[in-house]
């Protein structure tokens, strides 16, 4: 006798009752881009519905974030000044440092994660300190650690280093612990691939490299065993959460990480994934809501505990419908 599996798909009620993977607002982190200046809320052309905010208008997006039920945000800063060592990244009055203070003024409860990298702050657009035309890994660690410490001092809840320097988690954990910030957690961009999906973000963050590329420090998209080595190193160095970035084309990496490591796994659904759906929806080729929901369910099903996504606000609204 054959099995009647369709019995459990007969109505919406039974489908909801037996659903294996569920996404909620508690799963999502929303990235926010903060810029210098006043009275600025400018839409990012390649990422419709996402904006650059000046500090005096930051309350608009923070209030919206809390209204839809999100628990956390990730802050990215765009400085006015750039130099060879990205000094604005660790300035106590830098754009991210002031943004953290401002968000904390607006909301006492929202969880604040800060991206730690140098690409937005260096005049060459690379994620570390240059020695000639090469990024010097070990020299960069001191600067990465100082950036993390400056974020902790102004009230960040979690540090998220995205530079992909070897040893950066250990450097950050050490400087935080030595300065009394033992309770500040680290979300490491452990498996961050050198991906073509980052294009719109580089416009949003004004962070494109001025020469060359990032293939010497970001991962080859062809490799998965290497990703496991990177993750294992970050966990050993003190990472509390590990991340796979991008998400949609790397669901297998998320699953391998979930099966191998007993720490929370984050997935970053990046700008290119978002922009492609938006562009297709604008042309009337797809159902944007259905596609976006399916994408993020797939990330959760693959094993992501946390999803960083530009769709976070929309997803929260759709989940309430």
């Amino acid at each position: 006798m054959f099995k009647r599996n369709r019995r459990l798909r007969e109505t919406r009620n039974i489908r909801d009752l037996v659903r294996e993977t569920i996404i909620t607002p508690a799963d999502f982190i929303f990235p926010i881009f903060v810029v210098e200046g006043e009275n600025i809320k400018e839409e990012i052309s390649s990422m419709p519905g996402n904006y650059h905010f000046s500090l005096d208008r930051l309350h608009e997006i923070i209030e919206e974030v809390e209204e839809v039920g999100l628990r956390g945000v990730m802050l990215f800063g765009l400085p006015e000044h750039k130099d060879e060592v990205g000094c604005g990244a660790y300035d106590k009055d830098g754009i991210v440092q002031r943004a953290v203070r401002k968000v904390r003024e607006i909301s006492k409860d929202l969880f604040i994660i800060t991206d730690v990298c140098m690409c937005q702050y260096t005049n060459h657009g690379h994620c570390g300190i240059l020695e000639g035309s090469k990024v010097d890994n070990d020299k960069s660690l001191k600067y990465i650690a100082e950036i993390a410490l400056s974020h902790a001092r102004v009230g960040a809840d979690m540090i998220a280093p995205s530079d992909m320097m070897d040893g950066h988690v250990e450097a950050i954990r050490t400087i935080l612990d030595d300065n009394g910030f033992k309770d500040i957690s680290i979300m490491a961009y452990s498996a961050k691939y050198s991906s073509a999906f980052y294009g719109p973000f580089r416009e949003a963050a004004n962070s494109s490299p001025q020469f060359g590329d990032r293939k010497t420090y970001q991962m080859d998209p062809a490799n998965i065993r290497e990703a496991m080595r990177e993750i294992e190193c970050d966990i050993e160095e003190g990472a509390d959460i590990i991340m796979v970035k991008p998400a949609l084309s790397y669901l297998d990496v998320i699953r391998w990480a979930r099966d191998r490591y007993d720490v929370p796994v984050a997935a970053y659904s990046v700008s290119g994934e978002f922009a492609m759906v938006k562009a297709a929806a604008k042309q009337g080729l797809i159902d944007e809501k259905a596609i976006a929901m399916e994408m993020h369910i797939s990330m959760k099903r693959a094993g992501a505990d946390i999803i960083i996504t530009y769709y976070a606000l929309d997803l929260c609204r759709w989940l309430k419908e």
Side-chain angles (χ1 to χ4, degrees):
M1 179 177 176
F2 63 83
K3 302 292 185 181
R4 293 194 178 274
N5 293 309
R6 288 178 54 192
R7 289 175 183 147
L8 300 185
R9 305 177 204 143
E10 193 68 23
T11 66
R12 177 175 178 175
N13 286 340
I14 189 60
R15 290 194 299 272
D16 288 348
L17 283 169
V18 301
R19 180 161 293 144
E20 299 172 26
T21 304
I22 297 171
I23 53 175
T24 75
D27 295 321
F28 305 129
I29 297 293
F30 184 58
I32 297 175
F33 297 93
V34 188
V35 298
E36 302 280 6
E38 296 181 354
N39 194 30
I40 296 172
K41 181 185 177 183
E42 294 179 347
E43 189 170 39
I44 301 165
S45 61
S46 59
M47 297 167 62
N50 289 267
Y51 297 84
H52 290 135
F53 287 94
S54 54
L55 292 172
D56 58 327
R57 297 192 65 173
L58 200 51
H59 66 280
E60 297 176 29
I61 187 61
I62 298 303
E63 289 166 2
E64 189 174 356
V65 161
E66 293 197 302
E67 182 181 334
V68 301
L70 288 170
R71 312 288 179 82
V73 295
M74 180 177 282
L75 299 180
F76 295 87
L78 280 73
E80 278 186 327
H81 172 73
K82 300 188 179 197
D83 58 33
E84 289 185 355
V85 298
C87 65
Y90 50 88
D91 188 327
K92 64 182 177 64
D93 291 317
I95 184 62
V96 165
Q97 289 80 355
R98 284 180 286 140
V100 172
R101 295 189 194 105
K102 189 67 176 179
V103 173
R104 189 56 72 220
E105 286 177 17
I106 301 165
S107 171
K108 303 301 181 188
D109 298 323
L110 197 63
F111 196 79
I112 303 173
I113 306 169
T114 56
D115 176 78
V116 170
C117 197
M118 301 185 72
C119 57
Q120 300 104 291
Y121 301 88
T122 56
N123 53 18
H124 47 76
H126 280 283
C127 300
I129 304 300
L130 293 184
E131 191 67 42
S133 60
K134 182 179 179 181
V135 175
D136 188 311
N137 187 94
D138 295 5
K139 188 181 291 187
S140 301
L141 295 180
K142 180 181 73 170
Y143 291 88
I144 295 297
E146 287 293 336
I147 299 168
L149 179 60
S150 73
H151 291 181
R153 282 174 168 160
V154 295
D157 296 300
M158 179 180 285
I159 306 300
S162 61
D163 55 281
M164 285 297 286
M165 296 297 115
D166 293 338
H168 63 169
V169 174
E170 181 178 293
I172 291 170
R173 186 71 274 160
T174 299
I175 200 170
L176 291 179
D177 290 354
D178 288 350
N179 285 273
F181 294 105
K182 290 181 171 62
D183 293 331
I184 301 295
S185 50
I186 298 173
M187 177 194 291
Y189 285 64
S190 301
K192 181 180 180 182
Y193 286 85
S194 181
S195 172
F197 283 96
Y198 300 152
F201 175 90
R202 290 177 180 169
E203 178 205 340
N206 189 21
S207 63
S208 296
Q210 296 304 301
F211 64 89
D213 54 41
R214 296 176 178 146
K215 292 180 181 179
T216 62
Y217 45 99
Q218 294 177 0
M219 285 186 52
D220 185 338
N223 294 353
I224 189 167
R225 295 191 301 273
E226 182 186 5
M228 299 305 107
R229 295 197 298 272
E230 290 277 5
I231 290 169
E232 189 165 339
C233 288
D234 285 351
I235 293 171
E236 289 175 353
E237 291 175 21
D240 301 284
I241 299 171
I242 58 95
M243 184 199 298
V244 176
K245 179 184 180 184
L248 194 58
S249 289
Y250 297 83
L251 297 179
D252 56 333
V253 185
I254 296 170
R255 172 45 57 189
W256 274 45
R258 172 72 288 137
D259 288 344
R260 287 180 176 224
Y261 302 108
D262 199 17
V263 298
V265 176
Y268 198 141
S269 182
V270 299
S271 58
E273 298 167 22
F274 174 86
M276 288 192 302
V277 176
K278 282 289 184 182
K282 186 176 181 180
Q283 294 296 316
L285 302 176
I286 60 169
D287 180 332
E288 181 183 9
K289 173 184 171 183
I291 290 283
M293 293 287 283
E294 186 174 340
M295 283 170 52
H296 291 81
I297 286 171
S298 76
M299 297 165 201
K300 184 78 178 287
R301 189 186 65 241
D305 302 289
I306 299 163
I307 302 172
I308 304 158
T309 175
Y310 302 101
Y311 263 117
L313 296 173
D314 288 331
L315 289 165
C316 289
R317 296 189 185 100
W318 291 331
L319 287 168
K320 291 178 180 179
E321 293 177 357

